[in-house]
Amino acid sequence: MPIYNPPLRTVDIKETRRYAGLSAADFSEQAIIAACNEMVYLAEPRGSWEMYNYDNIKGIVSASVPFRLQGSKILKHLSHSEKVILLSVTAGSNIETAIEKNFHEGSYTHGLLLDAAATAAVEQVADGLEKNIDISIKPLGYKRIWRFSPGYGDWDISCQPHMLRLTNASAIGIEYTSSMMLTPRKSVTAIIGLVPETDPFTPQRPSCATCPQKNCSSRIQ
């Protein structure tokens, strides 16, 4: 299974502000920039992924041990996919130590901003892995649709053991707890559908405009 070990040169300031729940200028721009800059040095970004055939009628990923997907939204999302890519990414465990240290020492603002920057960082790693995957799928005549993670819609996180097994996530240090949370905490698993380039199907991306959670602190106005 391919291992992705990218450099993290910057962390998105706008996304960090959003993940921190700052719809207005609650904190100074300098404080946010400082957290993003520190995250560049703290993060240990890694990813792993694998491609599988997919039965879009039965919703089964054709692995050595078949993986049946459960949930109407994920099945609809992949309804035109002939293959899928399962991926795992992490920003590493150093981050959690630094965040906990800041909260323990009473630096709550910086700890909160580091946590938000870490969320932005792991999403950037996943974005970069997607672009890296394009090199492999384009010669096969496929296009990728946007990634879908356990916990979105009605796709339950109880599938995490399968996701980690099928992406060899242990090779990059990702495990799961009894409550199906990932460790290190700033880690993500996802599935990407591969649709024939000739198929016009494009699933609608989730957005704040279509989300029913009107009071979400991360909502983009």
Side-chain angles (χ1 to χ4, degrees), residues 134-204:
D134 283 342
I135 300 170
S136 299
I137 66 173
K138 285 189 175 180
L140 302 177
Y142 290 101
K143 61 183 178 181
R144 61 177 168 84
I145 56 178
W146 53 269
R147 65 179 182 268
F148 201 112
S149 288
Y152 287 3
D154 56 355
W155 190 22
D156 196 86
I157 61 172
S158 61
C159 69
Q160 292 290 24
H162 301 289
M163 296 293 290
L164 297 187
R165 174 175 57 85
L166 294 179
T167 57
N168 192 28
S170 61
I172 59 172
I174 303 179
E175 299 177 344
Y176 65 94
T177 68
S178 59
S179 59
M180 297 300 156
M181 302 304 291
L182 300 180
T183 60
R185 189 166 55 87
K186 296 303 181 179
S187 302
V188 171
T189 61
I191 192 167
I192 299 173
L194 303 184
V195 176
E197 287 185 340
T198 54
D199 190 331
F201 176 73
T202 303
Q204 182 184 30

Side-chain angles (χ1 to χ4, degrees), residues 24-80:
D26 299 46
F27 300 141
S28 72
E29 194 74 3
Q30 289 75 19
I32 298 171
I33 291 172
C36 290
N37 288 342
E38 184 173 346
M39 190 53 52
V40 169
Y41 293 99
L42 287 172
E44 299 174 308
R46 302 192 75 193
S48 61
W49 62 276
E50 189 58 271
M51 184 186 305
Y52 296 94
N53 290 326
Y54 178 67
D55 183 336
N56 58 33
I57 303 300
K58 297 180 180 179
I60 295 176
V61 177
S62 300
S64 55
V65 177
F67 172 29
R68 183 183 292 275
L69 304 182
Q70 303 285 346
S72 60
K73 287 183 169 37
I74 183 61
L75 294 176
K76 181 179 179 181
H77 182 72
L78 298 174
S79 60
H80 289 239

